[in-house]
Amino acid sequence: MFYKIAFIDLDGTLLDIGKGKNAQISDTNLYSVRKLAKECKIVISTGRKFSPDIVSIGKKISANFYVCQNGAEIYDQNLNLIFESAINQKIVEQILNFAKKWNVSISFDSKVIFSPSKSFLYLFSKFFPNFEVKNINKVDLPKNVKKILIFSPNIFKISKFRKFLEEFFSEKIQIYTIEKGFVIEITDFKASKGQAAVFISKVTNISLNYSFHIGDSENDISTKNVVNMLILMKNSPRKLRKHGHIIGYKRKFGVAKALENFIFKPKSIAIVGFYASGKTTFLKAVEKFGYSVLYTDEFYFNCFLENKPCFEIVKKFKPDFIHNNILDKNKLRDFMVENQQNRDFIEQKIYPILEEHLKTNYYHFVEIPNLWTKNADFQAFFWKTVWISASRKQLLLNIKSKKVKKEVWEKNQALNGNKIKFYNVKISNSRWKRPSFFPKFFTKIFK
């Protein structure tokens, strides 16, 4: 299996039956995660406080670590606390005072909500039955607070209060909105699920290139650009989905479906198109959204450097192509376009190197002009195919911008001009350059 660490959220994600304290993991999700645990370290990554309930879930799925309170606490498999990060006491005191002024309710690491009015006391006791509700003036300010929750039945007030806190405390705390916008989560600036992933990577000595995170809330977004793949559940708030590398499935059995379709046999998206159609430019834009990309031109450029596999192959069969330990690419290009037999000979030697790389490395997108070559089974690595197309006029403009001699680009065109046999999405240059294109594209292509 490609992945070696899995970070899995609980509420709204792994726990797909029931809600709140009654939420449980279905047998379907349980079976899939246990299957995953045989080849991958499992990390529970939750906003919940560490508790016997979480330990019970962890034992069921053979969890190796427990990331609790959005990364404010991390426990190992033996339930030892290996990391903690409390909110600065002065900040805790300031937030309490602000909560009183803004007439919102507050909770500190506990099942107690301190509320400013009798009406709120009644309201919260009804909608948050797991919490004890007390008057905010009876707060005995605790120490070593890991997480603060702010509650209000007024979603607009919560939104404004969040902005106020972000401006006032700047980068001193982490702030997220949960429960459909009615609750704010606050942790220390060093405590987030993303930073917890980095910590566990160091502890296990496993690169996060081999990790993924699956969740459904804003506090899961911090793992993007940290793990290799962020899968957001389909039941995530709509405004959050644009942050996920992949949009998964709805809550019930959603984790099991995501594991089966994206993890156990991960496949990339193939990007195809004729020479100078704009594939590289397109993928450079894709990379800005946090997706991993393999450029096969770049891959083979490195492969043909001195002492690298492709270089050694040419050196063995065509030593006259090597001068001062540098491959003469013009000679190699001329040899390949001379006839099909020559082309097949070289491709059959060098394509297995790329195949082996794709077996052991995962990329969200791979630029691969010769997807349908008879000299390799590249199609086995891809889930969907995107064709980047360009008009004849645009192709000529792109070629001109490359500043490549005509005889060279004509040969490159011949080597990269395989017929496009099928595709899932066809995209023109003018289409993908629209500002609104990419969020919709990512949702559709990973659907």
Side-chain angles (χ1 to χ4, degrees):
M1 175 181 286
F2 173 78
Y3 290 102
K4 298 178 181 178
I5 310 181
F7 298 89
I8 305 175
D9 177 46
L10 293 182
D11 296 287
T13 304
L14 183 64
L15 305 182
D16 57 334
I17 298 176
K19 292 185 178 181
K21 68 177 183 179
N22 297 318
Q24 297 178 9
I25 180 173
S26 67
D27 289 341
T28 304
N29 275 357
L30 182 60
Y31 172 81
S32 289
V33 177
R34 282 178 173 173
K35 177 182 175 182
L36 180 68
K38 293 177 181 179
E39 301 183 63
C40 184
K41 290 190 180 298
I42 305 297
V43 181
I44 287 178
S45 187
T46 179
R48 290 190 184 193
K49 189 175 181 179
F50 188 70
S51 68
D53 288 342
I54 289 181
V55 174
S56 176
I57 295 168
K59 288 182 177 179
K60 287 181 181 179
I61 62 174
S62 302
N64 301 94
F65 295 93
Y66 302 81
V67 173
C68 298
Q69 307 231 84
N70 294 339
E73 295 179 332
I74 303 176
Y75 293 81
D76 66 13
Q77 193 169 18
N78 298 318
L79 312 184
N80 297 311
L81 179 64
I82 58 175
F83 175 85
E84 63 177 332
S85 183
I87 303 170
N88 180 280
Q89 190 66 16
K90 183 178 179 181
I91 292 177
V92 174
E93 186 176 344
Q94 288 175 313
I95 291 175
L96 173 60
N97 291 331
F98 289 142
K100 290 178 179 179
K101 289 180 181 179
W102 280 70
N103 205 35
V104 294
S105 302
I106 191 168
S107 177
F108 307 94
D109 282 340
S110 68
K111 293 291 185 179
V112 180
I113 297 177
F114 297 96
S115 192
S117 69
K118 290 183 178 180
S119 59
F120 283 7
L121 291 173
Y122 171 77
L123 183 67
F124 286 120
S125 63
K126 182 178 180 180
F127 285 96
F128 295 94
N130 298 331
F131 285 80
E132 180 184 357
V133 185
K134 295 183 178 180
N135 190 287
I136 199 168
N137 294 316
K138 296 181 179 180
V139 173
D140 184 10
L141 194 66
K143 294 182 179 180
N144 199 36
V145 174
K146 307 290 177 52
K147 188 169 80 168
I148 297 173
L149 296 178
I150 302 292
F151 305 79
S152 175
N154 187 330
I155 194 171
F156 300 106
K157 179 181 282 189
I158 283 290
S159 178
K160 289 180 179 179
F161 190 49
R162 172 177 175 163
K163 289 179 181 178
F164 168 77
L165 292 175
E166 287 174 335
E167 291 175 2
F168 189 89
F169 292 108
S170 186
E171 298 179 356
K172 296 178 181 178
I173 54 176
Q174 302 276 358
I175 304 176
Y176 306 106
T177 304
I178 59 172
E179 298 294 338
K180 298 181 179 180
F182 291 97
V183 181
I184 296 173
E185 282 185 320
I186 302 170
T187 56
D188 182 55
F189 75 99
K190 292 182 290 186
S192 71
K193 291 185 178 183
Q195 291 177 89
V198 173
F199 178 85
I200 290 174
S201 172
K202 292 178 180 178
V203 170
T204 58
N205 198 31
I206 297 175
S207 169
L208 288 171
N209 290 332
Y210 303 100
S211 69
F212 72 92
H213 180 101
I214 181 167
D216 72 315
S217 301
E218 187 182 355
N219 55 37
D220 297 297
I221 304 302
S222 65
T223 63
K224 188 174 183 181
N225 300 329
V226 174
V227 297
N228 181 279
M229 181 184 291
L230 170 59
I231 303 172
L232 288 178
M233 302 290 287
K234 197 170 184 178
N235 48 275
S236 302
R238 185 179 295 274
K239 66 179 182 179
L240 296 183
R241 294 179 201 168
K242 63 182 180 181
H243 297 288
H245 291 124
I246 290 177
I247 304 304
Y249 301 88
K250 290 185 178 180
R251 181 171 170 247
K252 192 168 185 180
F253 310 147
V255 169
K257 292 177 182 178
L259 294 180
E260 291 296 332
N261 290 304
F262 306 127
I263 303 303
F264 292 135
K265 294 181 180 179
K267 291 188 177 183
S268 306
I269 305 297
I271 302 298
V272 301
F274 299 122
Y275 177 72
S277 61
K279 299 184 295 298
T280 299
T281 307
F282 172 81
L283 287 171
K284 289 295 181 184
V286 166
E287 281 187 297
K288 293 179 181 178
F289 289 86
Y291 291 88
S292 56
V293 174
L294 174 66
Y295 301 91
T296 52
D297 285 349
E298 187 177 294
F299 175 85
Y300 277 113
F301 174 84
N302 293 322
C303 191
F304 280 115
L305 294 177
E306 183 181 358
N307 298 326
K308 293 298 178 68
C310 295
F311 177 90
E312 294 299 322
I313 288 171
V314 176
K315 185 178 180 180
K316 180 178 179 180
F317 293 100
K318 290 291 180 181
D320 55 311
F321 288 5
I322 308 293
H323 301 286
N324 298 322
N325 288 323
I326 297 175
L327 170 67
D328 187 333
K329 292 185 179 179
N330 288 324
K331 282 190 175 182
L332 178 63
R333 188 184 294 111
D334 291 343
F335 176 77
M336 292 181 70
V337 298
E338 186 178 336
N339 58 60
Q340 187 62 44
Q341 185 178 358
N342 288 353
R343 178 173 178 171
D344 290 342
F345 175 80
I346 296 297
E347 288 184 352
Q348 288 167 9
K349 297 294 182 183
I350 67 172
Y351 278 175
I353 298 171
L354 177 58
E355 285 183 293
E356 191 61 32
H357 182 79
L358 291 172
K359 286 178 184 177
T360 55
N361 295 273
Y362 175 76
Y363 301 89
H364 296 112
F365 295 89
V366 177
E367 172 265 328
I368 184 161
N370 293 330
L371 177 61
W372 294 281
T373 176
K374 65 180 181 180
N375 296 315
D377 186 21
F378 290 136
Q379 295 176 60
F381 299 100
F382 300 104
W383 180 38
K384 292 183 179 179
T385 302
V386 175
W387 176 9
I388 304 299
S389 66
S391 64
R392 176 68 178 172
K393 181 180 179 180
Q394 186 63 53
L395 284 173
L396 293 174
L397 287 172
N398 291 347
I399 290 170
K400 186 177 180 180
S401 68
K402 288 177 177 288
K403 297 180 180 179
V404 178
K405 292 181 180 179
K406 184 178 180 181
E407 60 180 288
V408 174
W409 69 254
E410 285 181 338
K411 291 173 184 176
N412 285 338
Q413 199 170 43
L415 292 173
N416 293 278
N418 283 0
K419 183 178 180 181
I420 295 174
K421 297 182 179 180
F422 64 85
Y423 56 89
N424 299 96
V425 180
K426 183 178 180 180
I427 303 169
S428 65
N429 272 264
S430 58
R431 183 181 167 199
W432 71 258
K433 290 179 180 178
R434 297 170 187 167
S436 61
F437 170 79
F438 279 108
K440 294 179 181 178
F441 167 72
F442 295 134
T443 299
K444 182 177 181 180
I445 201 65
F446 286 113
K447 191 172 182 179

